Amino acid sequence: MSTGDESTASESPARKKKKSDPNSSREYQPEQIAYEKLRLVLGRHYFDVCQRLALDYVPSCVRNVTECAQRHASKRSQRAKCVSLMRQTNTHDQLREFRPVQFIEFLSQANMRREFIDSDLFVAGLQLMLTLNRPAEELQLEYSIVDIVVEMGEVLEKCLKQFPPCRWDLRPAYQRIVFGQLDAKCFERCDQREGLFRNVLHLIEHCIETEQGQANHPNTRAKRTATRGQTFEDDELFSYNYNSWMLSNRLCYDFDKLSREERFERLFAVLHILVKLLEMDFAMWILRNPTKSHQNLCNPSRSPLVAQLVWNGDYGSVNLFIKKLFQMFVNMNALHYPEADIAVISRLLTIVTVAVNLCEFQYNEGQIQYPCIKDNSLHYARQLWKTLEASGYFSIPLCLSTIRHLRSPFLQLQLVEHLMQKFNRSMNLRNVRSFFQPLLNRCWQECAIDEPSEAAEQSATIYPVLNAERTRLKECEIYQKQYLELLLIGLRAYCDMHQLPAYFREIMVQPAPKASIDGTLPVALASSNECPLETRIVPPIVHDERMIFQGVAMSGELVVEYRDDIKYLLLIKEQLKQIESTEERALFHHWMIFLSEVDPSLRIV
């Protein structure tokens, strides 16, 4: 017995050692570490909807997905309380009686009571923003029309925040808003079958392409009528003039009577709210449909609002809606419209781009290729380039402006590649090496040095009319600064698409060093001067596993591709370090800033 016990006791440590060997060796396999960190980076980005949709804000439901699932997605949750029919009628009466301030007050009270105002009042608020006219100064109103439009927008945005479109019981209401009708007489020419959202875009397109007649100015009519009333002393005629004056100068709802600048301001204020509605809906849809995206997006009962708006059965195709959206975006850049207005169209373009890309996602054997760029997405980007290239305003500055205003890294990269291919047909921006090679060959020196000052065409208005008969230039010359800026935009877009900065930081971060018995750091780390500890060694980040998608397809080839990209990022740094002249350092100033943003170790002193 004793002999058997001793043999068992002597063998047990060896067995334990054999069992622990694979685990201990796995901890120090660099291939496995790189593999897992790449899975972590891509899985985290897959659920980072704010970055994928380029949002300027974080929706509350994205910030707290668990609470949203319990209160908004679950059909067991309590339904949203809506404004009663009697209150809805009383609120509508305020508009009929020309009391817009009271109308806004009624909606604000509904928000404070946490009651959803329903689709009819929401659409009425949007129509009020589009049609409200400035009355005559003689009426001495105590409020400004601009203030009413701004306050109306704030009330509707607060309603969106309190009652997000991800609520299962409010989905029909938000569908009625997107496809609502503008019932004012001034919108009779609009095709109401198109819905509210599309008609707003049609109105913007019409205003860009056509010059409207002179808007009626109530102040002029007031003076003319008042003078006429003073001329005649007949009481009956004076009474007639007074009544006609009141009819023509009181508060009214007519989009056609607004000036050109006011029309654009109102249209983009309304479009901003509608685009925000699509963003909030699509962000939560992506989080709730991590798999089978293509099937669910093409299913009318499960598709997001953006898919219902853009397509009618031909999901993912470049239809007339998308082509007109491309044309509008290019025209606004060509005419130098305000940055805020271009940003609204760019946000809408980003949502559509992500939806087109999701139509290509295939969930095979529990895995999804991500990023996933296939023929349909490439065709979509190619159509945007063709729209830009066919513009009568086509030029290198227009291309730069259009690319800068794009929020989608994929579209930025594709447009940079198409533009670069006009000067070098063999250029394909498929990895970081393709950006390093032009630097190594000093290709920018083949471009002209002196860039002429960009003298934008002076216009009497910030919303000039499109010149449809303008012919494009036959030849375009690119300058050194433009060439390097395009190349940098493409590199930044490629890195954002593939999450290279995040992966670079993950593989460069070392675990916090263990202090020795006397509380000091190991000598090797303490004496290292290559990179300060405060910029390299950081405490481990606690990740929410639920917000890391585990179904990203991984392979050894993918890890090798990322390793090569990291290698060429380091080679770009070494190439820039060799620059000595002041002129060239000025040319590459933004390149150096970009590398330092990727990681502190890439900073060039």
Side-chain angles (χ1 to χ4, degrees):
M1 291 290 293
S2 61
T3 306
D5 291 341
E6 290 173 0
S7 62
T8 305
S10 62
E11 289 177 1
S12 58
R15 290 177 181 175
K16 290 181 180 179
K17 187 175 182 180
K18 288 180 180 179
K19 291 181 180 179
S20 61
D21 281 344
N23 294 331
S24 60
S25 62
R26 189 181 305 165
E27 294 178 1
Y28 299 99
Q29 289 179 358
E31 296 291 340
Q32 185 68 20
I33 293 175
Y35 190 93
E36 293 300 328
K37 288 193 173 183
L38 182 57
R39 182 195 297 274
L40 169 69
V41 168
L42 295 181
R44 189 168 55 209
H45 184 255
Y46 189 89
F47 276 154
D48 190 357
V49 290
C50 293
Q51 187 174 358
R52 289 177 66 180
L53 298 177
L55 302 184
D56 295 329
Y57 58 96
V58 181
S60 57
C61 291
V62 174
R63 193 181 295 111
N64 196 338
V65 179
T66 303
E67 183 178 354
C68 177
Q70 295 173 351
R71 296 188 177 184
H72 300 162
S74 175
K75 293 187 177 181
R76 297 179 180 178
S77 60
Q78 188 176 2
R79 287 177 175 268
K81 185 179 179 182
C82 297
V83 176
S84 65
L85 291 177
M86 181 177 294
R87 277 180 170 162
Q88 287 190 41
T89 303
N90 292 337
T91 307
H92 276 294
D93 289 342
Q94 306 308 310
L95 289 180
R96 300 187 188 98
E97 297 171 3
F98 302 99
R99 298 176 180 175
V101 176
Q102 284 75 11
F103 176 79
I104 296 175
E105 183 64 26
F106 279 26
L107 297 186
S108 298
Q109 291 175 3
N111 284 338
M112 288 188 289
R113 295 192 304 268
R114 293 196 170 274
E115 294 179 355
F116 182 61
I117 61 176
D118 213 348
S119 57
D120 290 341
L121 288 177
F122 202 104
V123 172
L126 294 175
Q127 185 167 260
L128 173 66
M129 295 173 65
L130 288 175
T131 59
L132 187 62
N133 272 230
R134 184 178 290 106
E137 294 180 0
E138 284 79 358
L139 293 179
Q140 298 181 354
L141 298 180
E142 297 180 354
Y143 51 82
S144 166
I145 299 300
V146 176
D147 293 339
I148 291 180
V149 174
V150 172
E151 290 177 13
M152 186 72 260
E154 292 175 350
V155 169
L156 295 181
E157 287 195 55
K158 187 174 182 180
C159 176
L160 278 179
K161 184 177 180 180
Q162 289 186 346
F163 302 95
C166 55
R167 294 186 65 109
W168 69 272
D169 56 325
L170 297 183
R171 184 168 183 79
Y174 282 113
Q175 288 175 336
R176 291 194 297 269
I177 291 172
V178 172
F179 299 100
Q181 295 186 356
L182 299 170
D183 54 9
K185 290 184 178 180
C186 55
F187 298 125
E188 289 179 348
R189 64 180 180 274
C190 297
D191 186 357
Q192 299 301 333
R193 293 173 299 179
E194 293 283 332
L196 171 62
F197 201 117
R198 287 193 175 215
N199 277 325
V200 169
L201 291 176
H202 292 330
L203 288 170
I204 294 176
E205 179 188 16
H206 178 74
C207 291
I208 291 175
E209 297 177 353
T210 59
E211 177 69 64
Q212 69 188 65
Q214 183 68 24
N216 295 324
H217 295 286
N219 294 341
T220 306
R221 296 196 308 271
K223 293 178 181 178
R224 183 176 65 249
T225 311
T227 305
R228 184 180 176 187
Q230 294 172 2
T231 305
F232 299 95
E233 297 180 358
D234 185 79
D235 293 341
E236 184 177 350
L237 187 57
F238 179 82
S239 176
Y240 170 79
N241 288 334
Y242 175 78
N243 292 332
S244 63
W245 183 89
M246 286 297 296
L247 287 174
S248 60
N249 291 277
R250 70 180 181 184
L251 198 67
C252 65
Y253 310 117
D254 193 344
F255 180 77
D256 293 333
K257 291 184 179 181
L258 298 174
S259 66
R260 179 177 179 82
E261 185 172 334
E262 286 177 324
R263 290 187 185 188
F264 276 106
E265 290 174 352
R266 305 289 185 84
L267 286 169
F268 282 110
V270 169
L271 187 61
H272 162 74
I273 297 174
L274 294 174
V275 170
K276 189 170 185 177
L277 166 60
L278 295 189
E279 288 174 338
M280 296 174 66
D281 173 73
F282 200 23
M284 290 309 302
W285 186 92
I286 293 175
L287 293 178
R288 291 179 182 174
N289 297 270
T291 61
K292 299 183 180 180
S293 302
H294 173 72
Q295 294 90 327
N296 292 335
L297 191 140
C298 298
N299 187 342
S301 62
R302 296 185 177 182
S303 60
L305 291 175
V306 62
Q308 299 177 28
L309 170 70
V310 177
W311 296 290
N312 184 19
D314 52 345
Y315 295 96
S317 64
V318 183
N319 55 16
L320 184 61
F321 177 91
I322 293 179
K323 290 180 180 179
K324 286 191 173 184
L325 186 62
F326 286 164
Q327 191 68 61
M328 184 186 303
F329 183 68
V330 171
N331 289 341
M332 290 177 64
N333 280 280
L335 298 173
H336 305 286
Y337 276 24
E339 298 280 334
D341 298 341
I342 297 177
V344 176
I345 301 297
S346 181
R347 287 164 54 197
L348 177 58
L349 200 57
T350 302
I351 304 172
V352 176
T353 303
V354 175
V356 170
N357 184 236
L358 283 176
C359 290
E360 295 185 318
F361 278 32
Q362 296 295 332
Y363 193 70
N364 296 324
E365 299 180 357
Q367 300 291 314
I368 292 179
Q369 178 187 349
Y370 184 77
C372 178
I373 306 299
K374 296 184 179 179
D375 292 341
N376 193 47
S377 295
L378 295 175
H379 171 70
Y380 170 83
R382 196 179 304 115
Q383 293 304 310
L384 175 57
W385 166 251
K386 288 182 178 180
T387 304
L388 176 59
E389 191 178 23
S391 172
Y393 293 81
F394 180 82
S395 64
I396 300 300
L398 173 59
C399 293
L400 272 169
S401 174
T402 304
I403 293 171
R404 288 193 202 108
H405 286 123
L406 285 170
R407 294 184 168 215
S408 167
F410 166 69
L411 287 181
Q412 283 186 322
L413 179 62
Q414 292 301 309
L415 260 62
V416 168
E417 181 177 278
H418 285 299
L419 181 56
M420 287 294 192
Q421 286 175 350
K422 292 182 72 69
F423 305 97
N424 182 2
R425 291 187 177 182
S426 62
M427 178 170 283
N428 291 311
L429 305 178
R430 293 291 181 262
N431 46 43
V432 179
R433 180 180 181 179
S434 59
F435 295 94
F436 168 73
Q437 205 64 39
L439 298 184
L440 182 64
N441 298 334
R442 304 180 71 85
C443 294
W444 77 89
Q445 291 185 338
E446 300 175 6
C447 305
I449 299 177
D450 298 327
E451 181 180 355
S453 58
E454 297 182 10
E457 297 180 5
Q458 297 296 327
S459 176
T461 174
I462 59 175
Y463 296 104
V465 182
L466 181 72
N467 182 7
E469 298 179 357
R470 176 168 174 153
T471 56
R472 54 166 291 177
L473 300 174
K474 294 183 179 180
E475 294 182 357
C476 294
E477 187 174 13
I478 189 169
Y479 298 89
Q480 289 185 2
K481 186 177 180 181
Q482 294 172 337
Y483 182 90
L484 291 175
E485 182 181 356
L486 279 171
L487 207 60
L488 177 58
I489 292 176
L491 176 60
R492 187 187 294 271
Y494 177 87
C495 291
D496 288 343
M497 270 184 61
H498 298 274
Q499 288 297 290
L500 272 181
Y503 181 60
F504 190 96
R505 288 189 287 267
E506 283 289 339
I507 62 176
M508 294 299 290
V509 167
Q510 303 294 332
K514 295 181 180 180
S516 59
I517 299 177
D518 58 354
T520 60
L521 292 174
V523 178
L525 287 175
S527 61
S528 175
N529 295 323
E530 292 184 1
C531 188
L533 291 177
E534 62 271 12
T535 61
R536 171 59 53 238
I537 300 174
V538 296
I541 302 174
V542 179
H543 301 288
D544 186 353
E545 293 294 333
R546 295 170 299 177
M547 296 305 293
I548 300 175
F549 183 61
Q550 303 296 336
V552 177
M554 299 294 298
S555 65
E557 293 79 4
L558 185 63
V559 175
V560 172
E561 291 176 5
Y562 272 81
R563 182 186 300 163
D564 287 343
D565 284 340
I566 296 297
K567 179 183 74 173
Y568 280 101
L569 272 179
L570 296 173
L571 288 176
I572 289 176
K573 172 195 172 183
E574 295 301 321
Q575 188 70 20
L576 296 183
K577 285 177 65 176
Q578 298 176 11
I579 297 177
E580 297 180 356
S581 66
T582 307
E583 294 79 6
E584 288 192 354
R585 289 187 71 88
L587 278 175
F588 285 94
H589 175 67
H590 293 289
W591 283 75
M592 298 176 183
I593 293 177
F594 168 69
L595 289 178
S596 64
E597 291 174 352
V598 171
D599 192 78
S601 66
L602 298 179
R603 183 179 292 113
I604 299 175
V605 182

